[in-house]
Amino acid sequence: MEKNRIPPGQRVTTKFPVLHEGRTPVFDEAHWDFSVEGEIENPIKLSWKEFLELPKVKVVSDFHCVTSWSRLDNEWEGVLFSEIARMVRPRDTAGFITVDCEQGYTTSLSLDELMDDDVLLAYGLGGKPLPTEHGGPLRLVVPKKYAYKSAKWVRKLVFTREKELGFWEKRGYSDSADPWKEERYS
Ligand SMILES: Nc1nc2c(c(=O)[nH]1)N[C@H]1C(S)=C(S)[C@@H](COP(=O)(O)O)O[C@H]1N2
Ligand SMILES: [Mo]
């Protein structure tokens, strides 16, 4: 095991724990859409089929949950956040993005953080469709942050001027959430 890949206080698991608030939502393709709005020039709303037509990439990355498990070398497939940003054309006033999910879960990040080349909206894992319990059909993956920023069942991105704290971030978890600095609590 390469030690320098494990942030302080974390332990590697080869299992993939399922962790979330509430129930696992059922994917109903006919009623599913993905929208982007707020401080952007070109708001979009895409069907599942349209989302799958966007340019796709594969990104291998590690996943660190704040409860101290880490899972290495996850092979995600999906659309880079930067690709979405290119399509919607953020205004100068856009500093942050609130990620809205099924059942009211939210998180938020700065535009800079999301523009990293390892941040994607993923619909595949390990060469297969992303399992529902792991956020399928579509989840955000932000490897450089604790996994509560990697929101499952994403439906909407809202570009904002000010930061809006997310579900866990309002409940005492760190908003900066850097595993390498052990930023677990605020
Ligand atoms: N919609 C939603 N996304 C979520 C959560 C949640 O409760 N709801 N929990 C987060 C937390 S704390 C973790 S550790 C990861 C777990 O992802 P996994 O179940 O695929 O392992 O999902 C994150 N994304
Ligand atoms: Mo977590």
Side-chain angles (χ1 to χ4, degrees), residues 1-7 12 62 64 72-73 180:
M1 196 63 56
E2 298 150 71
K3 235 183 173 174
N4 59 355
R5 286 177 64 187
I6 319 302
V12 172
D62 301 340
H64 309 294
L72 306 182
D73 292 324
W180 297 97

Side-chain angles (χ1 to χ4, degrees), residues 18 20 24-27 129-139 152-153:
V18 171
H20 55 88
T24 297
V26 175
F27 174 42
L130 180 61
T132 314
E133 66 271 24
H134 287 300
L138 191 67
R139 87 177 297 166
K152 310 202 271 193
W153 313 300

Side-chain angles (χ1 to χ4, degrees), residues 91-137:
R91 298 198 176 125
D92 293 344
T93 49
F96 305 92
I97 288 88
T98 299
V99 184
D100 281 340
C101 307
E102 305 282 356
Q103 301 173 344
Y105 188 86
T106 61
T107 190
S108 58
L109 291 123
S110 73
L111 180 55
D112 280 357
E113 290 164 336
L114 288 173
M115 291 301 282
D116 275 0
D117 61 7
D118 59 359
V119 174
L120 74 165
L121 287 142
Y123 48 67
L125 176 64
K128 297 194 183 115
L130 180 61
T132 314
E133 66 271 24
H134 287 300

Side-chain angles (χ1 to χ4, degrees), residues 28-162:
D28 173 5
E29 187 179 331
H31 295 104
W32 188 95
D33 54 31
F34 171 79
S35 55
V36 187
E37 53 190 57
E39 301 291 314
I40 54 177
E41 296 300 334
N42 183 36
I44 55 172
K45 185 173 276 211
L46 304 177
S47 67
W48 177 239
K49 210 170 152 242
E50 289 167 334
F51 196 92
L52 292 179
E53 283 162 10
L54 299 178
K56 61 183 174 182
V57 296
K58 283 185 181 164
V59 177
V60 178
S61 62
D62 301 340
F63 196 77
H64 309 294
C65 172
V66 72
T67 63
S68 87
W69 55 269
S70 292
R71 192 175 190 268
L72 306 182
D73 292 324
N74 306 288
E75 295 172 24
W76 303 105
E77 181 171 30
V79 178
L80 286 174
F81 173 86
S82 60
E83 178 67 36
I84 306 275
R86 197 185 55 75
M87 290 171 66
V88 302
R89 284 182 278 125
R91 298 198 176 125
D92 293 344
T93 49
F96 305 92
I97 288 88
T98 299
V99 184
D100 281 340
C101 307
E102 305 282 356
Q103 301 173 344
Y105 188 86
T106 61
T107 190
S108 58
L109 291 123
S110 73
L111 180 55
D112 280 357
E113 290 164 336
L114 288 173
M115 291 301 282
D116 275 0
D117 61 7
D118 59 359
V119 174
L120 74 165
L121 287 142
Y123 48 67
L125 176 64
K128 297 194 183 115
L130 180 61
T132 314
E133 66 271 24
H134 287 300
L138 191 67
R139 87 177 297 166
L140 181 66
V141 177
V142 188
K144 291 188 182 76
K145 301 288 182 179
Y146 282 122
Y148 51 87
K149 298 279 185 184
S150 290
K152 310 202 271 193
W153 313 300
V154 172
R155 290 288 301 275
K156 198 197 318 191
L157 305 179
V158 184
F159 285 61
T160 63
R161 290 168 188 249
E162 308 289 339

